[in-house]
Amino acid sequence: MTKTEKRLDKAIRVALTHACEQAKETVSEFLWLTHTADLKKLPQSLKIKCFFNTLPINENQKQLIVNLIIDELNTIDITINAKAISFLKE
């Protein structure tokens, strides 16, 4: 992994950690999130999985979490499609 890829990986982790903490504060069912990505093929390779203690969650909660993630990634100039974010029960 190159230095540039390491910096990018760290920036993604920081942005998603921030989104995760905000989601925990606003959606009681939200537990955590994880991601996978090929740093050479961003943003199309970035996939995010959000885990909840119960499903389904309502559309407003789902949209709130999607917006948090997209907004945080936008701060590091990564734009993803909402379809790259999945919602799962732990």
Side-chain angles (χ1 to χ4, degrees):
M1 189 181 292
T2 67
K3 286 184 180 182
T4 301
E5 290 171 336
K6 286 180 183 178
R7 281 192 293 263
L8 182 57
D9 182 56
K10 182 179 179 180
I12 291 169
R13 284 186 285 113
V14 167
L16 291 177
T17 298
H18 193 251
C20 181
E21 294 305 318
Q22 289 178 341
K24 284 181 187 178
E25 291 174 8
T26 56
V27 178
S28 61
E29 295 87 357
F30 181 82
L31 296 173
W32 56 285
L33 62 80
T34 188
H35 76 285
T36 57
D38 179 345
L39 298 175
K40 292 176 176 32
K41 297 179 183 176
L42 283 177
Q44 64 272 16
S45 69
L46 182 58
K47 305 292 181 217
I48 300 167
K49 294 179 183 178
C50 299
F51 291 88
F52 297 84
N53 57 15
T54 60
L55 281 179
I57 60 170
N58 71 46
E59 286 302 313
N60 289 338
Q61 291 172 318
K62 192 180 283 188
Q63 192 59 50
L64 174 70
I65 292 170
V66 167
N67 289 343
L68 286 172
I69 292 169
I70 288 173
D71 290 347
E72 285 299 321
L73 290 172
N74 280 338
T75 65
I76 58 170
D77 296 325
I78 295 177
T79 304
I80 65 165
N81 190 308
K83 292 179 182 179
I85 303 168
S86 59
F87 299 90
L88 307 164
K89 186 176 190 271
E90 185 180 51

